């Protein structure tokens, strides 16, 4: 048998033609933080380039997103008033409902995804209703109001709901509530495998959602567990999720691959705030080639099996894909 001692090195056209993985603008989902109030455009100290915007500042932002060829945004609301049950999230005129209507009215071609959780709306910063005896979130009481919150988003015109609170039974509960109210075709992107991660630190600044006591370890997953991580996502697939997700992304690419091989559903990764802040800080310090590291990072998500990437870098990636410099 003939055995060649080295592989042919490929250059130019053939190298491009045989590239296995690509990052496309269609893969990207850009997070937007909408804050109650007027004339607000406040950069988050720990996340340069990420802003809290009030509704009246949304149009130029949407113009920019469209001009870059991005197709989708995920919305987070920061209400004027927080209380123990997150009432603003349940109100037809709460910040998130108003934001959905505004985006759909101004940019109907953008796919509007909504983060569905209570931690941005509760005064204690936890993802649902508190069980004071056990000092944790009451799973089943939270499910009931999550369904109400999902219907608020759906009626306001959301194109996809993304529950992020990791309550057991969420997908089944939401699917039946949506179906029963005429939203049979509204897809659900489950934050299906979400780890209790220190990488969310800067997000809690921007969303003003740090828990006032305890942490989220009782409902988010142990970063040490791979089998459990797969089981959580497959559970959401069985309950009717349309897209699965792993969050954070970069430290969990093995998890992405393992779930990808175990499901036929599309998958998303959430390239979270801490990952963003690390690249930004290193770039500012002049110690990395930011543009190359950024694209290499995005490619790694796709190679691991992600179909979609939620990322604060989306505008930058779109710019680079256009062949421009940042
Ligand atoms: C809300 C939510 C969080 C993130 C996305 N949705 C915060 C959390 O779970 O604490 C984190 C995103 C990021 O860090 O960029 N539940
Ligand atoms: Zn939450």
């Amino acid at each position: 048998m003939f055995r060649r001692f080295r592989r042919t090195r490929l250059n130019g056209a053939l190298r491009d033609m045989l590239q296995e993985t690509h990052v496309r603008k269609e893969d990207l989902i850009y997070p937007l933080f909408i804050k109650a109030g007027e004339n607000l455009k406040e950069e988050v100290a720990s996340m340069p380039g990420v802003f809290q915007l009030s509704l009246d500042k949304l149009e130029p932002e949407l113009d920019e997103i469209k001009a870059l060829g991005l197709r989708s945004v995920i919305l987070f609301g920061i209400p004027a008033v927080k209380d123990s049950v997150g009432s603003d999230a349940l109100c037809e005129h709460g910040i998130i409902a108003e934001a959905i209507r505004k985006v759909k009215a101004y940019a109907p071609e953008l796919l509007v995804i909504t983060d569905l959780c209570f931690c941005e709306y509760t005064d204690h910063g936890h993802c649902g209703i508190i069980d004071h005896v056990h000092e944790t979130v009451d799973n089943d009481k939270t499910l009931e109001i999550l369904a109400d919150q999902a219907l608020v988003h759906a009626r306001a015109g959301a194109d996809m709901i993304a529950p992020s609170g990791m309550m057991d039974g969420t997908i089944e509960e939401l699917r039946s509530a949506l179906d029963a109210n005429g939203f049979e075709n509204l897809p659900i992107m489950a934050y299906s495998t979400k780890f209790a991660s220190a990488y969310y630190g800067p997000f809690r600044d921007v969303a003003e959602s740090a828990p006032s006591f305890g942490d989220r370890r009782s409902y988010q997953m142990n970063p040490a567990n791979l089998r459990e991580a797969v089981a959580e996502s497959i559970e959401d697939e069985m309950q009717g999720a349309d897209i699965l997700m792993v969050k954070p992304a970069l430290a969990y690419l093995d998890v992405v691959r393992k779930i990808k091989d175990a499901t036929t559903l599309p998958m998303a990764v959430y390239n979270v705030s801490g990952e963003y802040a690390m690249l930004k800080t290193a770039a500012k310090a002049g110690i990395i080639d930011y543009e190359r590291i950024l694209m290499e990072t995005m490619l790694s998500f796709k190679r691991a099996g992600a179909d979609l990437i939620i990322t604060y870098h989306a505008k930058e990636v779109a710019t680079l894909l256009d062949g421009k410099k940042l």
Side-chain angles (χ1 to χ4, degrees):
M1 189 181 84
F2 172 70
R3 218 165 151 262
R4 207 158 182 276
F5 67 93
R6 67 173 184 85
R7 293 197 312 122
T8 312
R9 296 203 180 93
L10 304 175
N11 293 309
L14 196 53
R15 183 179 193 272
D16 291 345
M17 289 160 71
L18 296 181
Q19 179 165 324
E20 297 174 36
T21 309
H22 300 270
V23 178
R24 309 172 308 155
K25 291 182 183 180
E26 288 81 356
D27 305 331
L28 305 170
I29 299 169
Y30 187 58
L32 284 178
F33 296 95
I34 319 297
K35 186 168 176 168
E38 271 170 35
N39 203 27
L40 296 173
K41 183 174 182 188
E42 283 168 20
E43 192 166 23
V44 182
S46 53
M47 297 176 72
V50 175
F51 296 84
Q52 297 176 327
L53 298 169
S54 53
L55 287 168
D56 55 329
K57 291 283 187 181
L58 217 45
E59 291 183 4
E61 180 68 28
L62 295 170
D63 289 339
E64 193 187 343
I65 289 168
K66 285 194 293 182
L68 284 166
L70 294 172
R71 308 291 296 275
S72 175
V73 292
I74 182 164
L75 303 183
F76 296 87
I78 305 150
V81 181
K82 304 191 183 208
D83 60 21
S84 65
V85 293
S87 307
D88 191 85
L90 300 170
C91 168
E92 300 285 347
H93 295 285
I95 185 65
I96 189 77
E98 298 289 6
I100 297 164
R101 278 191 289 268
K102 175 105 201 185
V103 177
K104 286 313 295 184
Y106 188 73
E109 69 275 42
L110 276 184
L111 182 93
V112 172
I113 307 170
T114 53
D115 183 86
L116 187 77
C117 201
F118 280 99
C119 50
E120 294 125 63
Y121 304 93
T122 52
D123 51 13
H124 46 71
H126 278 283
C127 299
I129 291 184
I130 297 294
D131 166 352
H132 288 282
V133 179
H134 301 97
E135 290 231 318
T136 183
V137 174
D138 185 322
N139 193 91
D140 293 1
K141 276 193 193 148
T142 302
L143 285 185
E144 285 170 30
I145 58 169
L146 268 176
D148 296 338
Q149 196 186 356
L151 291 173
V152 168
H153 294 192
R155 290 192 185 109
D159 296 306
M160 180 152 74
I161 310 282
S164 64
M166 289 291 280
M167 296 299 127
D168 292 333
T170 299
I171 305 304
E172 187 176 23
E173 180 82 19
L174 295 184
R175 190 67 273 164
S176 22
L178 291 169
D179 289 356
N181 286 277
F183 297 105
E184 295 90 346
N185 289 313
L186 193 68
I188 300 175
M189 177 166 74
Y191 283 68
S192 50
T193 294
K194 178 170 171 184
F195 291 95
S197 172
Y199 280 101
Y200 310 149
F203 174 93
R204 292 177 187 170
D205 294 342
V206 59
E208 302 171 12
S209 65
S212 59
F213 66 90
D215 55 38
R216 299 200 220 285
R217 280 179 223 193
S218 64
Y219 42 101
Q220 297 183 351
M221 299 187 45
N222 183 348
N225 293 354
L226 179 59
R227 292 193 305 270
E228 186 188 24
V230 176
E232 284 279 347
S233 269
I234 299 308
E235 175 63 32
D236 281 2
E237 170 167 20
M238 289 188 304
Q239 289 182 30
D242 297 281
I243 301 174
L244 302 177
M245 192 198 302
V246 172
K247 175 178 166 216
L250 208 42
Y252 297 90
L253 295 182
D254 58 326
V255 179
V256 177
R257 170 48 59 195
K258 191 94 176 166
I259 295 172
K260 183 72 171 186
D261 290 341
T263 183
T264 55
L265 291 183
M267 281 189 67
V269 287
Y270 200 135
N271 174 218
V272 300
S273 55
E275 299 170 48
Y276 177 85
M278 289 194 306
L279 283 200
K280 282 288 181 195
T281 308
K284 202 169 165 212
I287 53 183
I288 57 169
D289 180 338
Y290 181 75
E291 295 186 2
R292 285 189 60 200
I293 284 198
L294 180 52
M295 293 312 280
E296 192 175 327
T297 303
M298 295 299 134
L299 208 52
S300 76
F301 300 147
K302 296 293 301 284
R303 195 189 61 240
D307 300 284
L308 301 174
I309 305 167
I310 305 172
T311 180
Y312 307 101
H313 296 290
K315 291 201 274 186
E316 297 170 333
V317 174
T319 305
L320 294 174
L321 288 173
D322 282 338
K324 298 192 181 118
K325 290 259 154 209
L326 295 181

